[in-house]
Amino acid sequence: MIELFYSSTPNGRKISIMLEEINFDYKITKINLSKGEQFNSDYRKISPFSKIPAIIDHKNKISLFQSGAILIYLAEMSGKFYDSDNRIVINQWLMAQMGDIGPMLGQHHQFHHYNPGKSKFSEERYFNIAKKIYKDLDERLLNSSFLAGENYSIADIATFPWIARHNWHSIGLNKFKNLSRWYEKIAARKAVIKGYDCLKEGEEIPKI
Ligand SMILES: N[C@@H](CCC(=O)N[C@@H](CS)C(=O)NCC(=O)O)C(=O)O
């Protein structure tokens, strides 16, 4: 049994989608970020940076924070979405998500969606970076079905929930044909639909 410490954000959804994809038994413990529950001292014992997601694997008595590390752990446990002969490429695209796509789109959310008008410089900077991320992903997906090649992998699972915030980005996902094709293909997966709304609150994956 995996316990997932969760909030309905892109980083949280990476793990609920993965758990649905590999069909593991899991339970969700909600962390209310706006109430500051991530800073509770008990939670900080498993997530020292006070962030979601984190997991406890009760059977193996392991706890983990950082969504990329959790995805690798679950992929290794299940033997899914992390082909052993393609790990170098999968790692590369997973790190691109962890180091660039997530943090930069996260800043775009802060300045464009949550706090418009606070800093013209930051709004422009992260808008431009977000547009470049769409363009770069679109280019990658011109000759590749999925980010790390022909197979769906944890790199796609990590990236999808960030692109699923496309309505916040004001970039126009439909202008990016390859990225749109990739998005629609993943959005149609049963496990993705279930994992996206793992709290069963009726949250639908945004359409293009
Ligand atoms: N690099 C981390 C980022 C996690 C992260 O930023 N989580 C956000 C929600 S999406 C969070 O917990 N924010 C609460 C806070 O910063 O106080 C990961 O991928 O797990």
Side-chain angles (χ1 to χ4, degrees):
M1 150 73 81
I2 305 282
E3 182 172 6
L4 168 61
F5 295 84
Y6 177 86
S7 181
S8 297
T9 71
N11 286 319
R13 287 190 166 120
K14 292 175 190 175
I15 310 305
S16 54
I17 288 172
M18 180 65 174
L19 286 162
E20 290 294 340
E21 289 280 15
I22 61 178
N23 205 17
F24 270 22
D25 192 20
Y26 71 100
K27 76 165 186 179
I28 295 174
T29 297
K30 284 200 255 178
I31 300 291
N32 189 326
L33 299 176
S34 40
K35 286 194 181 151
E37 289 176 1
Q38 68 274 35
F39 301 110
N40 290 351
S41 56
D42 275 350
Y43 184 62
R44 282 174 49 82
K45 286 181 192 147
I46 62 163
S47 183
F49 281 25
S50 312
K51 307 256 183 218
I52 65 95
I55 61 164
I56 299 177
D57 178 343
H58 287 283
K59 188 165 162 235
N60 292 328
K61 300 194 181 353
I62 287 171
S63 75
L64 275 174
F65 68 100
Q66 281 297 334
S67 58
I70 298 170
L71 286 173
I72 290 173
Y73 177 74
L74 294 173
E76 285 180 338
M77 291 273 294
S78 63
K80 288 187 175 158
F81 310 118
Y82 197 39
D83 298 344
S84 50
D85 56 359
N86 197 31
R87 285 199 176 166
I88 293 171
V89 180
I90 298 172
N91 286 345
Q92 172 181 266
W93 285 97
L94 180 63
M95 296 307 142
Q97 191 292 312
M98 293 294 295
D100 284 325
I101 299 168
M104 293 300 104
L105 291 182
Q107 293 304 311
H108 183 44
H109 293 174
Q110 284 302 322
F111 290 102
H112 179 75
H113 180 77
Y114 289 116
N115 298 290
K118 289 266 172 72
S119 165
K120 192 168 183 289
F121 171 81
S122 306
E123 257 180 76
E124 279 177 13
R125 173 178 164 78
Y126 293 109
F127 207 153
N128 287 333
I129 291 175
K131 280 190 238 171
K132 185 169 179 304
I133 287 171
Y134 273 51
K135 187 171 160 287
D136 292 344
L137 287 173
D138 195 61
E139 272 176 31
R140 166 61 182 164
L141 292 165
L142 175 62
N143 296 314
S144 181
S145 299
F146 294 100
L147 289 175
E150 290 315 297
N151 295 330
Y152 177 62
S153 77
I154 52 173
D156 301 295
I157 294 174
T159 304
F160 176 81
W162 284 94
I163 304 302
R165 285 278 202 240
H166 62 88
N167 290 339
W168 291 12
H169 298 159
S170 312
I171 292 172
L173 179 52
N174 60 356
K175 288 186 239 152
F176 299 83
K177 297 292 167 233
N178 310 304
L179 186 58
S180 295
R181 186 241 316 134
W182 170 90
Y183 180 81
E184 284 182 327
K185 188 154 196 176
I186 297 174
R189 293 177 71 91
K190 280 204 179 84
V192 173
I193 294 167
K194 217 168 154 200
Y196 189 88
D197 187 28
C198 62
L199 296 179
K200 298 188 176 71
E201 289 174 328
E203 285 224 48
E204 284 183 19
I205 296 173
K207 300 245 179 330
I208 295 183

